[in-house]
Amino acid sequence: MTGSPPDPEPLDSADPWARQEQTFPTLSDEMISAVRAFGQEEAPAPGTPLFERGQRTADFFLVLQGNIEIFELDLAGAPHLLRLINPGQFTGELYLLNERQALVTARAGVAARVVRVRRADFRRLLSSEPDIAEILMRAFILRRVGYILHGTAGVELAGPGHGGDTLRIQQFMRRNGYPYRLLDTESDTDAAGFLSCFGLSEDQLPVVVLPGKVILRNPGNGELADALGLIEALDPDKVYDVAVVGGGPAGLAAAVYAASEGLSTIVFESIAPGGQAGTSSKIENYLGFPTGISGQALAGRAQNQAQKFGARLAIARTVTGLDCAAQPYRLEIDGREAVRTRSIVVASGARYRKLEVETYDRFEGHGIHYAATAMEARLCGGQEVAVVGGGNSAGQAAVFLARGSLHVHIIVRGSGLAATMSDYLVQRIASSSKITVHPHAEITRLEGDRLLREVSWTDRRTGATETRAISSLFVMIGALPNTEWLGGCLALDAKGFIRTGSDAEGRALSSPFVTSRPGIFAVGDVRSGSVKRVASGVGEGSVVVQAIHQYLNPGVA
Ligand SMILES: Cc1cc2nc3c(=O)[nH]c(=O)nc-3n(C[C@H](O)[C@H](O)[C@H](O)COP(=O)(O)OP(=O)(O)OC[C@H]3O[C@@H](n4cnc5c(N)ncnc54)[C@H](O)[C@@H]3O)c2cc1C
């Protein structure tokens, strides 16, 4: 390979490709010497493969002389040079923190001399050299952000932009930080050419196409996670100190604290890190973020932090059962595998409640949404939308959607918002000419074809019904606990949330997070009486680790 590829065009100053000195930094001579101590020097012949896209065990390489060539694979599987890694620079990205597949291929360039640091040694490097670790972590995160922003080194998703499954697949990849390009077959002029090139018809959409022309037709989340290499193999012989069920704020906090304090930790997460918070467009009341932070950004950082400390994150893996008679405890994963653990943190949170309206199921994913992020906002730009609910999540959604939509209708069963919503949101809603609150109202009819087209609500006092042309309905009416997988092992309250902090006779126990079984703890929204906030979930997840230490090592103060 000769010559270096042109730098990709940065989108703006926040684009990692515009911040080359942070995204592709050059280490100082002192740092290069420090890295050398963790690896071996090699002088590979030009073109020697160093790692391939799809490989789970890629090592870390630092260039001393010459260069390393980084390639992405196109849909046909052909390599395209993305960039050169020059002396003092290094390869790597987030896959070095877990056992997921590398997104790019690397080959030795001309006259290359490199330091290869193997995975186990790379972990030691991160924990022993904090200054270098900071530079590497920042670069890895920025590289992934750049790939996502430019759709580089990922897959192609083709499908109708408003389709429920197209949205589901997008959400799954977005929330798991996987780069993709969307070909919206409803609006993109290249769609017909793409479909004929791959021999596809419209009724087979959506499809995900991986390099090498591997086509997945409307894949479920599990199938997709498998194909993208997000699923990591589980070791049936290992006994973990802590297994965390749920990767929302509470579970991620437990993982960060447990792993950083030396406990072997695994997190199981059905969908993607972040939980309910991961679906929030902007969290404004989390300490330390005065201008707010999106739930996804918060979750991404927490995930990287947990992995940096050595926690394993098993994404797209659902815990389907608990054998609480076994010691160590045995968790059943996806109904087919098992993992053994000495203690468990239940952080499985809650899921959205639905409206009881005929035809509701028909429009789920085809106009009914449970989150208001930039992705949903794009779909309802310039149109009227309805938000159902009187809590903070409904208020945030209304304020956020009012920016781009024509008008937002808030449908609430109570007499107003003041009793159920934070005052700052109530004030913003009251002062917006683009938001109307409909008190004492409930949704009574949903109409449409393939997509939702009309929404009706009825005033419960007068019986008067209003119908509007609305294609996006945001349902934010609270949540039900995710506790069915516990199979009767733990004491629950009348609504199915986990009782904590007292024994069967009501006597107070050593920690507010102890459940009715020793060694099993519950934190966050799934816990009976919990405050349903990001900060409280994070607080509970961090504090519970002290109780876990006491349980695992009872004699130690
Ligand atoms: C749209 C929206 C906006 C919000 N905005 C704010 C805000 O601005 N400020 C604020 O403080 N709070 C906000 N909240 C509330 C906050 O997000 C929740 O209180 C918080 O996410 C609870 O965290 P958690 O970890 O306890 O549970 P969750 O966030 O519910 O996470 C639980 C996780 O467990 C996983 N899971 C469940 N069962 C299993 C299983 N069997 N196996 C594996 N994984 C499983 C789920 O997929 C999920 O990811 C908002 C909520 C929503 C929905």
Side-chain angles (χ1 to χ4, degrees):
M1 178 66 57
T2 52
S4 102
D7 270 337
E9 202 56 47
L11 299 173
D12 55 45
S13 58
D15 181 342
W17 298 161
R19 297 160 64 187
Q20 295 283 314
E21 64 296 343
Q22 289 180 318
T23 311
F24 296 98
T26 303
L27 298 186
S28 67
D29 290 346
E30 195 186 336
M31 287 176 172
I32 290 173
S33 307
V35 173
R36 266 191 161 124
F38 291 86
Q40 305 82 40
E41 264 186 58
E42 294 178 6
T48 305
L50 300 178
F51 57 85
E52 304 282 345
R53 178 183 164 95
Q55 190 177 330
R56 287 187 186 268
T57 51
D59 292 328
F60 171 87
F61 293 89
L62 170 68
V63 178
L64 299 175
Q65 266 178 29
N67 57 46
I68 290 176
E69 299 165 345
I70 303 291
F71 299 87
E72 74 167 331
L73 302 187
D74 65 16
L75 293 187
H80 291 272
L81 186 61
L82 270 184
R83 69 172 304 115
L84 299 178
I85 304 292
N86 292 314
Q89 298 181 329
F90 50 86
T91 62
E93 201 248 320
L94 293 179
Y95 60 76
L96 274 169
L97 304 178
N98 48 47
E99 283 170 31
R100 298 204 193 137
Q101 298 178 356
L103 297 178
V104 293
T105 287
R107 290 186 201 146
V110 176
R113 208 153 58 76
V114 300
V115 178
R116 178 195 288 264
V117 182
R118 297 193 187 277
R119 291 202 146 220
D121 299 320
F122 182 70
R123 285 227 161 273
R124 282 197 303 115
L125 165 66
L126 282 188
S127 50
S128 338
E129 298 286 345
D131 291 351
I132 300 177
E134 190 183 324
I135 294 173
L136 301 188
M137 285 296 292
R138 188 187 303 122
F140 292 172
I141 292 168
L142 285 171
R143 289 173 191 184
R144 178 59 65 104
V145 172
Y147 288 160
I148 293 171
L149 212 56
H150 293 270
T152 308
V155 294
E156 184 99 7
L157 165 63
H162 284 88
D165 284 315
T166 312
L167 279 171
R168 170 183 58 78
I169 293 171
Q170 272 194 85
Q171 254 161 11
F172 183 81
M173 292 201 280
R174 219 173 240 255
R175 292 190 53 198
N176 278 300
Y178 200 93
Y180 68 92
R181 288 193 193 112
L182 173 68
L183 187 89
D184 184 342
T185 50
E186 281 171 347
S187 60
D188 207 310
T189 47
D190 292 338
F194 177 89
L195 294 183
S196 88
C197 173
F198 285 93
L200 292 164
S201 56
E202 290 211 10
D203 58 340
Q204 293 172 318
L205 299 175
V207 293
V208 176
V209 186
L210 282 68
K213 291 196 176 174
V214 176
I215 299 177
L216 307 176
R217 291 186 187 161
N218 196 10
N221 289 352
E223 186 192 346
L224 187 59
D226 219 355
L228 301 181
L230 298 176
I231 294 186
E232 300 177 24
L234 298 174
D235 177 358
D237 297 326
K238 179 160 173 95
V239 178
Y240 286 92
D241 291 330
V242 194
V244 180
V245 183
L252 289 172
V256 167
Y257 281 79
S260 69
E261 292 176 23
L263 299 175
S264 63
T265 306
I266 186 161
V267 182
F268 291 99
E269 168 50 54
S270 301
I271 307 167
Q276 298 167 68
T279 65
S280 169
S281 53
K282 204 173 210 186
I283 297 165
E284 292 196 59
N285 57 357
Y286 189 58
L287 187 74
F289 295 92
T291 55
I293 180 165
S294 78
Q296 213 179 317
L298 191 65
R301 288 170 196 209
Q303 177 185 3
N304 294 334
Q305 202 172 7
Q307 290 181 327
K308 186 185 92 171
F309 287 124
R312 283 201 63 188
L313 263 88
I315 299 299
R317 310 300 304 262
T318 299
V319 176
T320 43
L322 165 62
D323 182 352
C324 50
Q327 272 306 330
Y329 290 121
R330 199 172 154 278
L331 289 172
E332 180 193 78
I333 315 301
D334 296 322
R336 57 191 148 84
E337 284 178 275
V339 155
R340 291 183 301 153
T341 178
R342 296 167 67 205
S343 70
I344 298 172
V345 175
V346 181
S348 48
R351 62 185 181 280
Y352 314 114
R353 286 179 53 203
K354 302 179 178 186
L355 295 173
E356 285 182 14
V357 183
E358 221 189 322
T359 69
Y360 187 87
D361 293 351
R362 206 173 112 203
F363 297 116
E364 266 194 300
H366 298 273
I368 293 176
H369 306 282
Y370 299 99
T373 66
M375 205 175 81
E376 288 81 15
R378 187 178 63 82
L379 294 174
C380 50
Q383 302 168 17
E384 288 194 16
V385 303
V387 176
V388 188
N392 276 356
S393 50
Q396 279 173 10
V399 170
F400 174 68
L401 293 166
R403 283 195 232 153
S405 60
L406 185 64
H407 200 84
V408 180
H409 300 274
I410 300 182
I411 316 299
V412 58
R413 288 168 70 105
S415 57
L417 303 175
T420 48
M421 197 179 281
S422 295
D423 190 52
Y424 80 95
L425 288 167
V426 176
Q427 299 305 330
R428 278 189 211 171
I429 289 168
S431 62
S432 169
S433 59
K434 289 177 80 181
I435 307 178
T436 306
V437 180
H438 301 269
H440 302 289
E442 60 188 9
I443 301 287
T444 44
R445 202 175 63 98
L446 303 172
E447 273 305 321
D449 37 52
R450 202 171 51 79
L451 296 177
L452 179 65
R453 303 284 179 203
E454 258 181 26
V455 175
S456 306
W457 53 86
T458 303
D459 187 314
R460 282 146 47 95
R461 294 164 307 177
T462 63
T465 295
E466 184 171 354
T467 299
R468 315 229 23 129
I470 287 176
S471 299
S472 295
L473 176 69
F474 294 82
V475 179
M476 293 167 158
I477 52 170
L480 298 166
N482 291 319
T483 44
E484 54 302 311
W485 61 275
L486 290 167
C489 280
L490 302 183
L492 306 178
D493 71 11
K495 290 183 175 167
F497 290 85
I498 300 172
R499 286 187 193 281
T500 56
S502 57
D503 65 11
E505 279 77 48
R507 286 180 299 245
L509 294 172
S510 53
S511 153
F513 310 115
V514 176
T515 66
S516 53
R517 278 205 188 252
I520 305 186
F521 305 85
V523 292
D525 280 17
V526 76
R527 198 173 67 77
S528 177
S530 68
V531 178
K532 310 256 177 309
R533 292 281 182 276
V534 175
S536 54
V538 168
E540 293 185 11
S542 2
V543 170
V544 74
V545 174
Q546 190 194 12
I548 296 172
H549 280 300
Q550 279 164 7
Y551 170 74
L552 294 177
N553 305 294
V556 181

